[in-house]
Amino acid sequence: MEDSGGGVTLCGGEPLMHPDYTLELLQELGRRHFHRTVDTTLYASQEVIRAVAEHCELFLIDLKMMDNEKHRLYTAVPNQPILENIRLLASLGSDFFIRIPLIEGINTDDENIETTARFLKSLPWQRRTVNLLPYHDVGKDKHHRMWSTYNPQNIPMATPSEKLQQHCAALLESYGLHVVIGG
């Protein structure tokens, strides 16, 4: 850690589901002078978001889709609190990357990508970097080991083609965003 200048990333599921523990851990890491990153969907209260923002240097934010009903269909939660929390972090001057898990047939359509781009462009956000994360099913084995069901609704999910990934990247870039495929 000392040689690399690295830090600690809280991830693996959703760290904001356990806000007291997350805050306690972030505060301790801060006392020890570690760089702190939180990998999150931001599905939490604004009170939690504000508290966490005071104790971390970077957020990695998953933004799956813009349509509230589709978001609820695929994730079982609305996206309005997520979008409001992204706006909040931008207004606070917090540093963050937006990460879009690309799933062909789910969120790779032009309407979703352009709506996402317009939303992100509207933010007072310095970094303006979007990571496109092509779908993979490496978590399938983890679910098996934990005796849970991977994709219990049997929603058809596929990795977008390289051509579709590039198309989504170009759409986002046309709005002045910096796009990285992977990350």
Side-chain angles (χ1 to χ4, degrees), residues 41-42 44-46 49-50 63 66 78-92 119 123:
T41 64
L42 286 186
S45 71
Q46 290 203 339
I49 301 303
R50 286 178 186 277
L63 180 57
M66 295 299 291
N79 71 341
Q80 284 312 111
I82 295 164
L83 299 178
E84 290 170 12
N85 286 333
I86 293 171
R87 286 185 192 101
L88 173 62
L89 286 180
S91 73
L92 293 173
F119 170 74
L123 300 173

Side-chain angles (χ1 to χ4, degrees), residues 31-97:
R31 282 190 284 276
R32 295 175 186 223
H33 306 288
F34 285 103
H35 182 276
R36 300 156 295 177
T37 299
V38 176
D39 185 346
T40 177
T41 64
L42 286 186
Y43 188 72
S45 71
Q46 290 203 339
E47 177 184 43
V48 167
I49 301 303
R50 286 178 186 277
V52 170
E54 289 180 27
H55 298 284
C56 79
E57 287 73 44
L58 178 66
F59 286 90
L60 304 177
I61 303 168
D62 287 348
L63 180 57
K64 294 171 178 68
M65 62 186 58
M66 295 299 291
D67 181 273
N68 192 52
E69 291 309 310
K70 286 182 181 178
H71 194 277
R72 189 184 297 271
L73 172 69
Y74 292 114
T75 68
V77 300
N79 71 341
Q80 284 312 111
I82 295 164
L83 299 178
E84 290 170 12
N85 286 333
I86 293 171
R87 286 185 192 101
L88 173 62
L89 286 180
S91 73
L92 293 173
S94 296
D95 193 12
F96 60 88
F97 286 91

